């Protein structure tokens, strides 16, 4: 007899997503993502209608290198352990964790409207270097914090970064993360090949920070130019980066050093954090989200639409259930702005 493949296994599991303690506290509204790992849903907290994002992680898919024993010797995914432990303004916060027979249910804060940087970039924002610096320095801060705590994210890319209407960002998806140790080298890459460094694609072992710096370089390139710096593995291996358009000297120097072919000469995290392009003065209040990027009203102004306070107060909105309110918002098009 053959084991069910992952898709048929997934559909069998779908019925079990919400079962257990989770559904006593949260009500899912809509699926916002689905992958090999499980599902991501928008949901609300029953007590106050606070909107949250729940990631359902299929236990079946978790192999031992992604698990860790916590203080009471209970096994749990590193992803959940890390997100529960890390407290940083640019790392998504966890509100609750539940589990049932098949899934871990990871309840996270919903940051802004929940737009990821991939969506942001796809909408062709009016980027300039000051805005790019402001967005990117927050990503760098999050990763700096991780490295200081001997943690590697290993899947830094636009899809794993959430941006709100004030251009505040949060890093998500610690599903590939691991711990660094002195003298320990990794041989398997778990992230996305477009963001993988040439030496790791070539099969070399890696310590971690130098690989992460490359992924950050690719992310910065994509954020500023809306395309990948290298179109395929072959180009990545050559690592000849073309920096388009008229950009400032500091920016071009920084980007080239983040994407330096030789990891020994690549920019380090300390150099990045202190680089003049990263530390330049920026006044974020000069940037207006709906002017920079075409967006729906709730994306430009999420607190007006999605707030636990609005729903639980005696205001007009309190008569609308979150499900109804959500479908109204989904109906409005970009043209409504
Ligand atoms: P995977 O490990 O399958 O990539 P992610 O954790 O990256 O799963 O979640 C998939 C997608 O769901 C993300 O790219 C993002 O668009 C959305 N998402 C996940 N967590 C959140 C969150 N806390 N807030 C908003 N959107 C989220
Ligand atoms: Mg992801
Ligand atoms: Mg992941």
């Amino acid at each position: 007899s053959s084991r069910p493949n992952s898709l048929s296994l997934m559909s069998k599991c779908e019925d079990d997503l919400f079962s257990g303690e989770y559904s006593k506290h949260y009500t899912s509204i809509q699926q916002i993502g689905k992958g090999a790992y499980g599902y991501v849903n928008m949901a609300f907290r029953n007590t106050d209608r606070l909107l949250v994002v729940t990631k359902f992680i299929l236990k079946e898919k978790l192999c031992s290198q992604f698990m860790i024993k916590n203080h009471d010797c209970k096994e749990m995914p590193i992803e959940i352990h890390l997100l529960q432990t890390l407290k940083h303004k640019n790392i998504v916060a966890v509100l609750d964790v539940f589990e049932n027979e098949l899934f871990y249910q990871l309840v996270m804060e919903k940051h802004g409207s929940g737009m990821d940087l991939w969506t942001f970039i796809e909408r062709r924002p009016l980027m300039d270097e000051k805005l790019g610096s402001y967005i990117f320095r927050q990503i760098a801060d999050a990763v700096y914090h991780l490295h200081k705590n001997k943690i590697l994210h290993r899947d830094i890319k636009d899809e794993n970064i959430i941006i709100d209407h004030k251009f505040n960002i949060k890093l998500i998806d610690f599903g590939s993360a691991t711990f660094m140790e002195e003298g320990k080298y990794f041989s398997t890459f778990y992230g996305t090949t477009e963001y993988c460094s040439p030496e790791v694609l070539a099969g070399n072992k890696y310590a971690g920070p130098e690989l992460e710096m490359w992924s950050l370089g690719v992310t910065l390139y994509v954020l500023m130019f809306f395309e990948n710096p290298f179109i395929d593995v072959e180009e990545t291996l050559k690592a000849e980066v073309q920096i388009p358009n008229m950009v400032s000297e500091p920016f071009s120097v920084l980007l080239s050093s983040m994407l330096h072919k030789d990891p020994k000469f690549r920019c380090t995290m300390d150099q990045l954090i202190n680089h003049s392009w990263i530390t330049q003065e920026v006044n974020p209040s000069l940037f207006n989200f709906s002017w920079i990027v075409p967006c729906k009203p709730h994306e430009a102004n999420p607190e007006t639409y999605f707030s636990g306070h609005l729903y639980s107060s005696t205001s007009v909105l309190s008569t609308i259930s979150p499900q109804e309110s959500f479908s109204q918002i989904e109906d409005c098009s970009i043209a409504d702005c």
Side-chain angles (χ1 to χ4, degrees):
S1 68
S2 65
R3 280 161 59 81
N5 69 28
S6 84
L7 274 180
S8 68
L9 176 73
M10 288 288 277
S11 46
K12 275 192 205 120
C13 296
E14 267 170 56
D15 299 338
D16 203 42
L17 276 178
F18 314 118
S19 76
E21 192 69 15
Y22 172 79
S23 60
K24 291 187 192 151
H25 303 279
Y26 294 92
T27 305
S28 279
I29 305 170
Q30 204 196 37
Q31 188 171 300
I32 58 174
K34 181 178 177 177
Y37 61 91
Y39 303 80
V40 178
N41 272 200
M42 182 102 64
F44 63 84
R45 187 158 66 190
N46 294 339
T47 50
D48 60 0
R49 307 292 189 259
L50 176 77
L51 281 141
V52 299
V53 171
T54 307
K55 184 171 182 178
F56 300 89
I57 303 163
L58 194 53
K59 290 181 174 175
E60 173 95 1
K61 290 278 163 190
L62 289 164
C63 27
S64 62
Q65 80 258 40
F66 293 116
M67 301 297 283
I68 189 172
K69 276 205 177 76
N70 70 8
H71 33 267
D72 36 297
C73 281
K74 201 177 161 335
E75 283 236 303
M76 66 146 93
I78 292 180
E79 172 168 19
I80 295 180
H81 167 77
L82 285 178
L83 282 176
Q84 275 185 316
T85 325
L86 291 162
K87 302 261 173 291
H88 189 272
K89 65 183 192 334
N90 302 122
I91 296 173
V92 77
V94 168
L95 299 176
D96 263 317
V97 177
F98 302 96
E99 62 177 297
N100 61 32
E101 203 187 323
L102 298 179
F103 291 97
Y104 288 99
Q105 297 144 322
L106 171 64
V107 184
M108 294 169 276
E109 67 176 325
K110 180 169 162 290
H111 177 60
S113 67
M115 182 187 292
D116 62 32
L117 218 51
W118 187 91
T119 308
F120 178 78
I121 288 162
E122 200 194 30
R123 294 196 195 167
R124 298 294 177 261
L126 294 169
M127 288 299 293
D128 67 15
E129 287 191 30
K130 285 213 178 266
L131 179 58
S133 169
Y134 184 73
I135 295 172
F136 188 73
R137 71 182 59 171
Q138 301 174 66
I139 306 172
D141 280 348
V143 177
Y144 184 71
H145 180 72
L146 294 181
H147 290 191
K148 263 198 326 211
N149 288 287
K150 298 278 170 239
I151 294 159
L152 284 176
H153 184 281
R154 293 201 293 187
D155 200 10
I156 293 163
K157 58 174 172 176
D158 52 9
E159 279 172 71
N160 290 334
I161 295 158
I162 308 289
I163 187 164
D164 76 1
H165 64 299
K166 297 263 171 63
F167 304 98
N168 292 321
I169 77 93
K170 298 216 188 239
L171 186 60
I172 59 163
D173 193 359
F174 283 63
S176 304
T178 194
F179 297 96
M180 291 188 268
E181 276 166 42
E182 199 60 41
K184 176 166 142 191
Y185 290 87
F186 302 95
S187 43
T188 316
F189 176 70
Y190 296 96
T192 312
T193 45
E194 282 89 339
Y195 288 76
C196 184
S197 64
E199 73 281 0
V200 174
L201 283 176
N204 292 290
K205 290 187 181 233
Y206 60 95
E210 75 295 8
L211 167 67
E212 209 105 288
M213 186 55 63
W214 180 275
S215 313
L216 284 169
V218 175
T219 305
L220 178 56
Y221 190 103
V222 171
L223 174 66
M224 297 304 291
F225 306 122
F226 316 144
E227 62 182 14
N228 289 334
F230 311 105
I231 56 163
D232 53 22
V233 170
E234 203 180 322
E235 266 202 15
T236 308
L237 289 170
K238 285 194 204 126
E240 286 163 7
V241 58
Q242 306 282 328
I243 299 176
N245 308 339
M246 292 289 289
V247 297
S248 72
E249 180 78 13
F251 175 63
S252 142
V253 170
L254 173 64
L255 191 53
S256 317
S257 77
M258 295 176 79
L259 295 173
H260 199 295
K261 183 177 181 177
D262 187 337
K264 285 198 288 298
F265 298 113
R266 202 169 291 155
C267 180
T268 66
M269 208 64 221
D270 280 305
Q271 288 167 341
L272 174 64
I273 289 291
N274 295 305
H275 194 278
S276 64
W277 191 80
I278 293 290
T279 59
Q280 67 182 290
E281 205 177 312
V282 180
N283 178 358
S285 65
L286 296 177
F287 301 109
N288 177 296
F289 196 74
S290 56
W291 184 73
I292 300 284
V293 68
C295 57
K296 300 173 187 176
H298 79 280
E299 292 168 338
N301 228 336
E303 59 275 280
T304 317
Y305 284 83
F306 284 141
S307 156
H309 300 296
L310 275 181
Y311 291 127
S312 55
S313 75
T314 50
S315 72
V316 183
L317 270 176
S318 64
T319 57
I320 310 173
S321 76
Q323 287 102 323
E324 285 167 319
S325 162
F326 187 76
S327 61
Q328 285 171 5
I329 287 155
E330 274 303 281
D331 289 344
C332 45
S333 67
I334 285 174
D336 296 339
C337 298

